[in-house]
Amino acid sequence: MNTQINRLPVPTWNRTGVNWLDQKALPPDREYLQGRHLPYDGILPHGITLMDHLPAGVAEIKSGMGEWLDEFIRKGADKTCYLLGEGIASEPVIITQNLDPAQPVIRTHYAIKAKPGSNLTVVQINRGDAKDGVVENLTQIDAQADSFVRLISIQLLGKNSQSFDAVGARIGKGAKVELIRAVFGGKTAACGSMAHLEGQGGGYQQDTAYFTDEDQIFDFNDIASHIGRETVSEMHTAGVLSGRSSKILRGTIDFKAGSAHSVGHENETVLLLSPRARNRTVPLILCGEEAVEGQHAATLGRFDEKQLYYLCSRGLSLMEAKRMLVEARFMPVLNKITQDDLRQEILTIIERRLDEHEINS
Amino acid sequence: MKDFKQEKTRVDQADRTIYNVKDRLDPAFLMDSGITPEIVNQISKEKNEPEWMRLFRLKSLKLYNEIPLPTWGPSLDELNMDQIVTYVRPKSTMKAKWSDVPDDIKETFERLGIPKAERKSLAGVGAQYDSEVVYHNVRAEVASKGVVYTDIESALTGPYSEMIRKHFMKLVPPSDHKFAALHGAVWSGGSFVYVPAGVTVEIPLQSYFRLNAPGAGQFEHTLIIVEEGAYLHFIEGCSAPRYYVANLHAGCVELYVGKNARLRYSTIENWSKNMYNLNTKRASVEEGGTVEWISGSFGSHISYLYPMSILKGKKARMEFTGITFAGEGQNLDTGAKVLHAAPDTTSHISTKSISRDGGNSTFRSVVTVTEKAEGSKSAVSCESLMLDSISRSDTIPVMDISCNQADIGHEAKIGRISESAIFYLMSRGLSEDDARALIVGGFAEPIAKELPLEYAVEMNNLIHLEMKGSIG
C-alpha cells in the first residue's frame, strides 16, 4: 500500500514538491492509543438515526488523502459516528470536538449513508488546542439515488495542533453531495477529498475557504472523479495567505472513460498578503472521454487596486474595503453556515487576521 | 427516417512519404551501441576535442549512471540504452556548398525542401545528418554584420572557444536530469549562433536535423547568444524515417538573450513514431529582453519537451505558443516552464492540443514567481480537443508563487467541439460539415499564424483535417 498522503493523482516534477503532502505537515511519528471505536452519543434530529456498525461497502470509499491514512483512521478511530439518513432531516446534525491537553488526540471515523431520496446536513466543528495535538477525521459518504448530503467542516484549532480531514463520497444516480469547508486553524492542516460520481446525473459541489497566518502550512488534495454519464462537479476554493505561511492546493477533475456528457469546473482565487507567504496551486484535468467539458481557472495575486479605489470612493476606509473584498471571497462558504454564532466567529477570525496583518506589515 | 449513426470526424495523418524515405546506411564511422567510458572517450577522440571537454563528458557520464529515470511522465521502460548507437558519423565533412555534399545526403535534404527554403527565405542554414553537421552556410551580408552561425564543433576549437566554454551546459547543467547528463556525455553536432549587440537579423536562420540510422541517437547541441539590443529568429526542424527499433533524440538548446534583445525560436518537430524525444531547451533572459518560443510537436513515439525561460532581468518577457498533435501510438508530454526571478517580468503561455486514435497528449507546466519578482505577471492558457474516447488528454500545471505583488492567471479547457458554435455557424448558412471543419481548423490557427508561411503550410499538411459527418 502506498503510504503517501494527499498524493497528486498524476505525478509531476519532484522538485516542485507538490506530488504529495508537504513534508512539514506529516502526522507525528509517535504511538497513539488504540482506537476504542466509541459510538457517537449525541442527540440526532428527526430523519437521521445512528447505525451500530459500518454499512457494507462504505469502508471502500476512498478519500483524497490516500488509502494508508484512510485505513489508519478507520482502524484506529477512538470515536465513530455512523449516520443513516432517511427522508428529510428536520435540522442539521452538529458535532463539535474539542481538543485539550487532557485529550490531545482525537481520531474519528464518520460514515453517512443517505438512503434514496433522503436529505441531510452534517456539521463538523473542530476547535481547541493542545501541545502536539492532533485531530484526524475520516468521513465516508454513501449518497444513494436522488439523495442530498451536505457536509460542513469547520476547523478552528489552535496553532499547536495538526489536523487531517479525509472525505470520500460515493454519489449515486441523481444524488448530490456538497462539501463546505472553512479551514483556519492548526499549525498544519491537511484536507483530502474524493468524490466518486458513479451514478448518472450525480452532482458534487465543493466550496472551501481558508485564511493562513504566521507559519501555518495548509495542504489540500481534492478530486472529482467522473465515472457515470451526465455528472457535474463544481469545486471552488478561495483563500488568503499571510505571514510566513504556505499552502498547496491540488484540485483534480478526472473524466473516466464512459463519463460522457459530464461537466467539471474548478476555480481558485488566492490573495497573497505577505511577501513571505508561499502559494502552490496544481489544478489538474485528466480526460479519457471525448464528450465532456472540463475547465479550471486560477487567479493568484494581490488586492485589485481598481476594486479598492472604487470602494474607497464610495466612502469606505481602505481597511473596510479590504475586509469587504476578503469576506466576499468567503461568502459561498459563509452563506451555507446557517448557525449565526458560528458564522460570526469566522468573520471575527477573518477580521482579526486582517488587522494583525495590517499592524505587522 | 434519418440514420442517427454518426460518422466520426477523421483527422488523417499527414502524408509522411518525404520523411519516411530511408537512405542506405553508409556511414563513415559507426560507434558500438551502448554507453561506456570507452565510447565517450572515443567520441571525444573522433572529434579531436580539447581535454576539458573530454573530462566534461566523463563527468556527465558518471552523473548519467547515478541519476534515476524520471518518476513522472510517460514510461521509458522500453527505451534500452544498451541498444542505442550514440555516434554515427556520415561520410561527409561539413561543407559550405550543397554541391559538395554527397548526392544521397543532398537528395534527402532536397526532398525536405531545405536548399529551396534557404534560397527563398533564410539567412543561413545548418543541416545535420545523424551525428554530424554536413552543411553550414550563412549569407555574406549577414556574416558581414558580425553574425556567427557555424557548427558547434568548429566553434569549440576556433576563435569562439572561450565563449563556448563559458556557456556550454551552464544553463542546462548535466546534473539537471538523466538525459541532460546523457547529452553532456555523448553530444555531437548542433549549431552555434552569435548575434552582436544591436544587430537585427531580418530573415531567419534554420538548422535542420535528420536522423537516418536505425537504432541511433541524435544529441545535437544548440547554443545561441543574442547580445544587447539584437534580434534573431531561429528555426529548428527535425525528422527521421520510421524504423521498428527505438531511436533517441536527446538534444539540448541553450539560449542567452541579452539586455533588450529579442530571440524567436521556432520548432517544427516531426520525428518518426519510433522516436523517444527527450529534448531539453532553456533560455536566460536579461533586463528588457524577450524570448518567444513557437513549438509544434507532431512526431515521436514519446516526447518529454518543456522549454524553460529564466527571466533574470527586470522587465524580461517570455511568450510560449505551442501545439501538440497526438495520434495512434503517441504519448506526447509537452509544455513549458518559466521562472520569474526579477521585478516586472512577464510570461504568457498559450497551448493547444489535439488527441485522436488512442493518442495521449499531456500539457505540463510550472510557473515559479520568486520573492524578487514584484510587479510580475503571468498568464497561462491551454485548450485541448478530444476527437474520440480512446484517446487521452491531461493537463498538469503547477503555479509556485512566493511574491505578493504579482498577478498570476491560469485557465484550461478540455472538451469537444461546441454544439452551440456549430448551431451558430449553421444559422449563418454553413452546412454542418463545413461548420465543424471551420471550427477544428480554427482551433490550430492561432499557432499557425505565429509560424513562417512555409512552416504554417507544413503544419497544415500535418494536421490534414478531412471532415466526414460529425463529431460526437
Side-chain angles (χ1 to χ4, degrees):
Chain A
M1 184 187 295
N2 193 319
T3 59
Q4 283 156 345
I5 297 171
N6 273 2
R7 202 166 65 246
L8 193 67
V10 178
T12 191
W13 293 287
N14 291 321
R15 64 186 65 169
T16 61
V18 300
N19 283 331
W20 43 79
L21 183 73
D22 191 314
Q23 295 297 300
K24 293 174 189 160
L26 284 170
D29 184 19
R30 60 182 163 86
E31 290 293 316
Y32 286 111
L33 293 172
Q34 272 305 302
R36 293 179 292 171
H37 292 87
L38 298 174
Y40 178 69
D41 57 2
I43 298 165
L44 293 172
H46 178 71
I48 302 175
T49 53
L50 198 68
M51 297 179 287
D52 57 6
H53 64 277
L54 188 64
V58 172
E60 289 80 50
I61 301 171
K62 292 178 188 169
S63 82
M65 297 200 79
E67 291 172 24
W68 180 82
L69 193 73
D70 289 359
E71 190 174 305
F72 178 78
I73 298 176
R74 194 168 54 244
K75 287 186 174 170
D78 206 40
K79 298 174 188 171
T80 63
C81 181
Y82 302 150
L83 302 174
L84 178 67
E86 289 179 283
I88 296 173
S90 57
E91 55 186 290
V93 183
I94 300 173
I95 302 166
T96 303
Q97 301 195 100
N98 274 299
L99 200 64
D100 61 47
Q103 190 186 19
V105 177
I106 295 175
R107 191 182 306 138
T108 309
H109 180 203
Y110 297 89
I112 302 169
K113 180 173 177 177
K115 285 200 160 184
S118 61
N119 183 321
L120 72 157
T121 296
V122 176
V123 183
Q124 300 168 340
I125 305 166
N126 295 288
R127 58 170 80 245
D129 202 8
K131 187 173 183 298
D132 298 328
V134 181
V135 173
E136 293 164 333
N137 290 328
L138 168 64
T139 306
Q140 293 175 301
I141 302 168
D142 182 11
Q144 299 186 345
D146 300 316
S147 63
F148 174 81
V149 177
R150 177 179 287 167
L151 175 65
I152 300 176
S153 173
I154 312 291
Q155 196 266 78
L156 305 172
L157 293 171
K159 301 278 180 58
N160 295 303
S161 307
Q162 290 184 275
S163 83
F164 298 87
D165 187 15
V167 177
R170 182 166 60 216
I171 302 169
K173 185 177 178 184
K176 186 171 183 192
V177 169
E178 283 185 6
L179 172 60
I180 312 299
R181 283 193 305 221
V183 188
F184 290 89
K187 67 181 172 194
T188 73
C191 304
S193 67
M194 189 183 292
H196 307 263
L197 289 147
E198 294 182 359
Q200 184 175 357
Y204 177 62
Q205 169 95 30
Q206 183 199 287
D207 286 292
T208 299
Y210 65 86
F211 195 144
T212 64
D213 72 352
E214 298 178 357
D215 295 309
Q216 285 184 299
I217 297 169
F218 284 9
D219 193 292
F220 300 90
N221 189 39
D222 298 320
I223 303 160
S225 179
H226 292 259
I227 302 159
R229 292 169 64 86
E230 297 167 8
T231 50
V232 177
S233 67
E234 292 283 345
M235 298 199 289
H236 307 289
T237 303
V240 180
L241 295 169
S242 67
R244 293 173 301 276
S245 62
S246 70
K247 176 234 89 184
I248 299 173
L249 170 70
R250 305 168 198 84
T252 302
I253 301 169
D254 187 359
F255 294 109
K256 305 284 190 191
S259 62
H261 305 292
S262 292
V263 177
H265 293 150
E266 178 193 4
N267 77 49
E268 186 190 18
T269 57
V270 182
L271 184 61
L272 282 113
L273 295 181
S274 161
R276 288 163 296 168
R278 183 182 186 189
N279 173 75
R280 280 174 284 180
T281 297
V282 195
L284 271 59
I285 301 181
L286 310 176
C287 187
E289 171 60 51
E290 169 202 4
V292 295
E293 179 198 315
Q295 210 165 352
H296 64 66
T299 309
L300 322 169
R302 49 195 162 179
F303 280 111
D304 184 326
E305 295 289 337
K306 286 181 186 165
Q307 287 177 340
L308 286 175
Y309 178 80
Y310 174 78
L311 291 172
C312 290
S313 75
R314 310 298 289 179
L316 273 67
S317 71
L318 184 61
M319 193 59 202
E320 287 169 333
K322 286 182 176 179
R323 191 176 303 146
M324 181 178 278
L325 290 176
V326 169
E327 287 175 7
R329 285 167 185 257
F330 292 164
M331 272 307 148
V333 170
L334 294 171
N335 283 342
K336 286 181 179 159
I337 299 171
T338 51
Q339 295 73 30
D340 288 342
D341 52 345
L342 190 57
R343 195 168 56 236
Q344 191 53 51
E345 185 178 355
I346 291 170
L347 284 168
T348 304
I349 292 171
I350 294 168
E351 199 170 316
R352 193 178 65 234
R353 289 196 175 178
L354 271 175
D355 287 345
E356 284 168 359
H357 166 73
E358 289 297 318
I359 291 165
N360 294 331
S361 60
Chain B
M1 187 176 172
K2 186 179 175 182
D3 180 3
F4 281 95
K5 186 182 172 193
Q6 294 179 317
E7 287 184 78
K8 292 276 183 185
T9 299
R10 285 186 50 77
V11 180
D12 281 354
Q13 290 285 4
D15 178 0
R16 290 190 56 89
T17 310
I18 59 166
Y19 306 108
N20 271 333
V21 173
K22 298 167 187 169
D23 297 343
R24 187 167 61 89
L25 188 61
D26 184 23
F29 179 81
L30 186 72
M31 189 68 76
D32 291 339
S33 60
I35 174 166
T36 63
E38 291 72 32
I39 285 175
V40 167
N41 277 323
Q42 180 76 21
I43 292 172
S44 191
K45 189 178 166 193
E46 287 286 324
K47 291 174 168 293
N48 199 22
E49 289 174 347
E51 178 65 4
W52 72 264
M53 181 57 82
R54 189 183 70 84
L55 296 174
F56 182 89
R57 288 180 183 275
L58 289 171
K59 192 176 159 193
S60 299
L61 176 62
K62 185 167 179 287
L63 285 167
Y64 169 75
N65 288 324
E66 290 169 1
I67 299 173
L69 283 168
T71 53
W72 48 273
S75 171
L76 298 174
D77 292 345
E78 290 177 15
L79 177 63
N80 184 352
M81 280 307 298
D82 292 337
Q83 293 181 350
I84 295 288
V85 177
T86 52
Y87 183 70
V88 183
R89 192 174 73 226
K91 57 175 185 184
S92 174
T93 54
M94 193 183 77
K95 310 293 183 195
K97 290 182 184 172
W98 280 111
S99 57
D100 295 337
V101 176
D103 287 347
D104 51 350
I105 296 176
K106 185 173 65 185
E107 280 167 21
T108 297
F109 286 106
E110 289 278 7
R111 272 194 300 273
L112 295 166
I114 307 304
K116 186 179 167 193
E118 181 183 10
R119 286 191 296 273
K120 278 178 63 180
S121 55
L122 296 170
V125 160
Q128 177 159 338
Y129 191 84
D130 290 331
S131 298
E132 294 290 356
V133 176
V134 294
Y135 174 82
H136 235 290
N137 192 27
V138 61
R139 286 190 187 181
E141 65 266 31
V142 175
S144 68
K145 292 180 181 175
V147 174
V148 178
Y149 179 38
T150 183
D151 66 305
I152 203 153
E153 277 92 348
S154 302
L156 191 61
T157 53
Y160 299 96
S161 58
E162 276 312 304
M163 195 181 280
I164 301 290
R165 187 169 185 175
K166 185 179 167 193
H167 293 93
F168 186 85
M169 293 203 82
K170 293 294 192 293
L171 268 182
V172 183
S175 57
D176 205 65
H177 58 81
K178 190 172 185 70
F179 294 95
L182 175 66
H183 178 90
V186 299
W187 73 271
S188 181
S191 298
F192 169 64
V193 184
Y194 176 77
V195 185
V199 171
T200 296
V201 182
E202 283 160 4
I203 45 179
L205 300 177
Q206 180 184 10
S207 282
Y208 199 96
F209 302 100
R210 175 73 177 175
L211 184 57
N212 180 64
Q218 195 169 60
F219 307 96
E220 86 286 351
H221 194 94
T222 303
L223 175 59
I224 299 177
I225 300 168
V226 183
E227 296 281 22
E228 183 174 344
Y231 169 76
L232 173 69
H233 182 186
F234 189 87
I235 301 169
E236 173 192 74
C238 32
S239 69
R242 180 165 191 167
Y243 293 105
Y244 292 96
V245 292
N247 279 57
L248 170 64
H249 176 237
C252 181
V253 174
E254 296 183 290
L255 312 177
Y256 292 87
V257 182
K259 187 176 177 184
N260 297 323
R262 185 172 153 220
L263 171 59
R264 190 175 178 87
Y265 195 95
S266 302
T267 305
I268 297 290
E269 183 272 290
N270 189 24
W271 293 115
S272 55
K273 302 215 175 137
N274 58 316
M275 181 68 82
Y276 284 77
N277 182 34
L278 312 174
N279 211 5
T280 309
K281 299 180 178 183
R282 200 160 293 170
S284 161
V285 189
E286 302 289 344
E287 183 179 340
T290 300
V291 64
E292 298 168 9
W293 303 93
I294 314 294
S295 179
S297 294
F298 302 96
S300 301
H301 169 49
I302 283 174
S303 260
Y304 281 65
L305 182 61
Y306 326 96
M308 179 176 183
S309 307
I310 301 167
L311 305 178
K312 60 189 282 193
K314 192 176 178 184
K315 292 189 175 177
R317 289 178 61 234
M318 80 80 88
E319 284 187 24
F320 178 90
T321 308
I323 188 162
T324 298
F325 186 96
E328 185 180 2
Q330 291 185 282
N331 192 342
L332 306 185
D333 201 300
T334 60
K337 299 197 267 189
V338 59
L339 172 65
H340 291 258
D344 302 321
T345 49
T346 308
S347 66
H348 184 220
I349 298 172
S350 173
T351 68
K352 308 250 183 183
S353 70
I354 300 171
S355 304
R356 61 150 192 91
D357 284 352
N360 191 342
S361 166
T362 300
F363 168 77
R364 196 182 294 272
S365 69
V366 58
V367 174
T368 305
V369 181
T370 67
E371 280 180 60
K372 296 176 189 166
E374 287 186 0
S376 292
K377 293 187 169 116
S378 174
V380 179
S381 160
C382 57
E383 290 182 68
S384 305
L385 196 56
M386 290 274 288
L387 296 186
D388 56 50
S389 282
I390 56 170
S391 304
R392 277 202 71 82
S393 185
D394 297 338
T395 305
I396 309 172
V398 177
M399 284 155 278
D400 185 350
I401 315 302
S402 300
C403 178
N404 68 329
Q405 296 297 315
D407 296 306
I408 314 300
H410 176 97
E411 59 178 0
K413 280 197 279 192
I414 200 159
R416 59 174 184 167
I417 294 175
S418 155
E419 296 291 341
S420 59
I422 292 167
F423 178 79
Y424 172 78
L425 289 171
M426 289 173 71
S427 75
R428 312 298 290 179
L430 272 68
S431 70
E432 185 174 339
D433 283 357
D434 286 345
R436 289 176 191 278
L438 190 65
I439 293 165
V440 176
F443 181 75
E445 195 269 340
I447 312 292
K449 77 178 183 190
E450 295 295 329
L451 292 168
L453 182 62
E454 57 276 25
Y455 293 92
V457 171
E458 182 177 349
M459 193 181 93
N460 284 335
N461 287 336
L462 290 165
I463 310 173
H464 174 63
L465 302 172
E466 182 186 329
M467 306 302 294
K468 281 176 68 182
S470 61
I471 288 178

